[in-house]
Amino acid sequence: PGKKVLIVYAHQEPKSFNGALLKVAVEELTKQGCSVTVSDLYAMQFEPRATRNDIVGGLHNSEAFNYGVETWEAYKRRGLSKDLVEEQKKVQEADLLIFQFPLFWFNMPAILKGWMDRVLVQGFAYDLSKAYDGGLLQDKLSLFSFTTGGSQEMYSKGSISGDIRYILWPMQHGIMHFCGVKVLEPHICYAPAWVSEEKRKEMLTAWTQRLKTLWKEEPIDCSPDWYFK
Amino acid sequence: PGKKVLIVYAHQEPKSFNGALLKVAVEELTKQGCSVTVSDLYAMQFEPRATRNDIVGGLHNSEAFNYGVETWEAYKRRGLSKDLVEEQKKVQEADLLIFQFPLFWFNMPAILKGWMDRVLVQGFAYDLSKAYDGGLLQDKLSLFSFTTGGSQEMYSKGSISGDIRYILWPMQHGIMHFCGVKVLEPHICYAPAWVSEEKRKEMLTAWTQRLKTLWKEEPIDCSPDWYFK
């Protein structure tokens, strides 16, 4: 109780299974006494493109635009665009970040990747020699909750799509761990479009059940061993 | 000579090192007699968000929007939005797809991920039981050419960022191989921002040199062994 949760949600349709997963998470966490904020990216028409528009006022170097340098400088002088400042404030206040999305091409949808690209700028999320265990977003937890098109068997070692953990490396290690955020076990709903209504209900119940004891979970050891062993 | 190349390019600044890599590729391939098309995503203000706007006219199921189903149906009745149809035409005509971009968070920038999400729809790039070696974009080659912030040492096995090949799995195997496209060795320029002007010139020359004999290269064996051994 009293914990703050930010759910970054990337699905176009509230009636989708991702929408249902979002709903039960908000309900269960609120019931626990957590304060829950949702960034509903499609509803917000969140901008995924990293451009000059993200910097208010003049550029550090207007001769040749370098997004990483410019957003770093803009962060330091409080010159990032309003939508980014708002997302950063939500991240700053959160104890737990949940990312809820359908897997698209072995990865998160572009709109969510754009949230990562634009919100987690240098100075805010990491800095020179402040990365991984030294990242700037320490004392926070993250959890990737997503649905797949393929079945669990298709995402196992030796099958054509490979171990699902291979796919988690860039997201969990390359982004969250890089920023110093601890990573909880992912929550994966395999192929909800291909199972019975009954099975889908079980999946929703399982998510609620997991959230009940979430705060007692230990983060994973976010090292290559976890992903590729 | 006579080969058709599509370069999908994702950098905001023509004067960047990515811009220079694009320029030498266009020059060298044109010199060889290839026909080169460039999709300059930022200049085109390419839309990365997968939304209802991608479908012209009525929806297959307007009760609950499912992007995968709707774009599949729209593809079959030639009802995809104009920008997608144009990109698909470029892909269809190409013998080789080159993706030129800076690595952003262990991955491609959101604007390029949006190109993958929106252009490679079911019916066009793959279909029911037509994936991987049976994918619909056979007889095409692909090549991921990108720059990194970190050094080559940082992207080697046992170092904190892990083997660079871990990062290539979702892009090369999960997208290109899935669509039946063969994958050439990636072309990686490590940390151009941190090396001398002389060294950067060498990198540009090396890219030109590689392109001279590119058509004689054999595709990689796009299996887990290549990535995780």
Side-chain angles (χ1 to χ4, degrees):
Chain A
K3 294 279 192 188
K4 291 186 176 173
V5 183
L6 171 61
I7 308 182
V8 186
Y9 166 71
H11 200 289
Q12 305 93 342
E13 174 57 61
K15 290 182 213 156
S16 65
F17 191 68
N18 271 274
L21 288 163
L22 171 68
K23 191 161 170 278
V24 302
V26 172
E27 284 171 359
E28 169 57 28
L29 291 167
T30 304
K31 204 169 119 190
Q32 289 177 21
C34 298
S35 155
V36 185
T37 304
V38 178
S39 285
D40 182 343
L41 300 182
Y42 286 102
M44 295 157 73
Q45 297 188 272
F46 188 80
E47 172 62 72
R49 290 164 289 206
T51 71
R52 193 260 175 264
N53 298 337
D54 292 351
I55 295 101
V56 178
L59 294 176
H60 181 69
N61 176 6
S62 56
E63 290 298 305
F65 181 74
N66 180 314
Y67 187 80
V69 169
E70 293 296 341
T71 49
W72 185 21
E73 293 294 335
Y75 176 78
K76 286 187 283 189
R77 64 170 175 80
R78 297 170 184 256
L80 286 174
S81 64
K82 191 160 155 276
D83 61 334
L84 296 192
V85 172
E86 281 173 16
E87 292 306 302
Q88 289 178 345
K89 198 169 165 228
K90 294 178 196 171
V91 172
Q92 200 62 72
E93 290 178 352
D95 299 296
L96 166 65
L97 310 172
I98 296 178
F99 300 100
Q100 180 66 56
F101 59 98
L103 199 69
F104 252 47
W105 290 118
F106 278 46
N107 215 317
M108 57 191 103
I111 199 169
L112 179 54
K113 178 57 166 50
W115 186 94
M116 305 284 179
D117 290 354
R118 296 177 63 234
V119 175
L120 305 176
V121 305
Q122 184 165 355
F124 171 70
Y126 66 96
D127 216 329
L128 298 173
S129 73
K130 288 180 181 167
Y132 293 111
D133 295 341
L136 296 176
L137 301 180
Q138 291 180 38
D139 303 320
K140 293 183 195 303
L141 297 168
S142 64
L143 192 164
F144 287 83
S145 173
F146 57 96
T147 58
T148 67
S151 66
Q152 185 157 13
E153 294 68 43
M154 287 165 72
Y155 286 110
S156 59
K157 213 167 212 164
S159 72
I160 186 74
S161 299
D163 194 318
I164 192 80
R165 292 189 175 192
Y166 298 166
I167 291 171
L168 291 163
W169 173 257
M171 306 183 212
Q172 293 187 347
H173 179 76
I175 307 179
M176 286 299 124
H177 187 193
F178 188 90
C179 297
V181 180
K182 289 182 182 63
V183 178
L184 297 176
E185 285 273 351
H187 198 85
I188 309 169
C189 292
Y190 289 98
W194 302 97
V195 302
S196 65
E197 186 59 34
E198 171 111 5
K199 181 74 187 145
R200 272 196 292 275
K201 277 189 189 152
E202 283 173 27
M203 286 178 172
L204 291 176
T205 306
W207 180 217
T208 302
Q209 287 304 118
R210 175 161 178 208
L211 290 171
K212 284 188 194 299
T213 54
L214 195 78
W215 302 101
K216 292 180 190 159
E217 287 187 21
E218 287 294 317
I220 66 163
D221 169 34
C222 204
S223 74
D225 265 4
W226 189 87
Y227 297 90
F228 307 113
K229 207 160 63 170
Chain B
K3 294 279 193 187
K4 289 187 176 172
V5 182
L6 170 61
I7 308 183
V8 185
Y9 166 70
H11 200 288
Q12 305 92 343
E13 174 57 61
K15 291 180 212 156
S16 65
F17 191 68
N18 271 275
L21 288 163
L22 171 68
K23 191 160 171 277
V24 301
V26 171
E27 284 171 359
E28 169 56 28
L29 291 166
T30 305
K31 205 168 120 191
Q32 290 176 21
C34 299
S35 157
V36 184
T37 304
V38 178
S39 285
D40 183 342
L41 300 183
Y42 286 103
M44 295 157 74
Q45 299 187 270
F46 187 81
E47 172 62 70
R49 289 165 288 206
T51 71
R52 193 258 175 265
N53 298 337
D54 292 351
I55 295 102
V56 178
L59 294 176
H60 180 70
N61 175 7
S62 55
E63 290 297 304
F65 181 73
N66 180 314
Y67 186 79
V69 170
E70 293 296 340
T71 50
W72 185 22
E73 293 293 336
Y75 176 78
K76 286 186 284 188
R77 63 170 175 81
R78 297 171 185 256
L80 285 174
S81 64
K82 192 159 156 275
D83 61 335
L84 296 193
V85 172
E86 280 174 16
E87 293 306 303
Q88 289 178 345
K89 196 166 165 230
K90 294 178 195 171
V91 171
Q92 200 62 71
E93 290 178 351
D95 299 297
L96 167 64
L97 310 173
I98 296 178
F99 300 99
Q100 180 66 56
F101 60 97
L103 199 69
F104 253 47
W105 289 119
F106 279 46
N107 215 316
M108 57 190 103
I111 199 168
L112 180 54
K113 178 58 167 48
W115 187 94
M116 305 284 178
D117 290 353
R118 297 178 61 233
V119 175
L120 305 175
V121 305
Q122 184 164 357
F124 172 70
Y126 65 97
D127 217 328
L128 297 173
S129 73
K130 288 181 180 167
Y132 292 112
D133 294 342
L136 296 176
L137 301 179
Q138 290 180 41
D139 303 319
K140 295 184 194 301
L141 297 168
S142 64
L143 193 165
F144 286 82
S145 173
F146 57 95
T147 58
T148 66
S151 66
Q152 186 157 12
E153 294 69 43
M154 285 164 72
Y155 286 109
S156 60
K157 215 168 211 164
S159 73
I160 185 75
S161 299
D163 193 320
I164 193 80
R165 291 188 175 192
Y166 298 165
I167 292 171
L168 292 162
W169 173 258
M171 306 185 211
Q172 292 188 347
H173 179 76
I175 307 178
M176 286 299 125
H177 187 193
F178 189 90
C179 298
V181 180
K182 289 183 182 61
V183 178
L184 297 175
E185 284 273 351
H187 198 84
I188 308 169
C189 291
Y190 289 98
W194 301 97
V195 302
S196 65
E197 186 60 33
E198 173 109 5
K199 180 74 187 148
R200 273 194 293 274
K201 278 188 186 151
E202 284 173 28
M203 285 176 172
L204 292 176
T205 307
W207 180 218
T208 303
Q209 287 304 119
R210 175 162 179 207
L211 290 170
K212 283 188 195 301
T213 55
L214 194 77
W215 303 102
K216 293 179 189 158
E217 288 187 20
E218 287 293 321
I220 65 163
D221 168 33
C222 206
S223 74
D225 265 4
W226 189 87
Y227 297 89
F228 305 114
K229 206 160 66 168

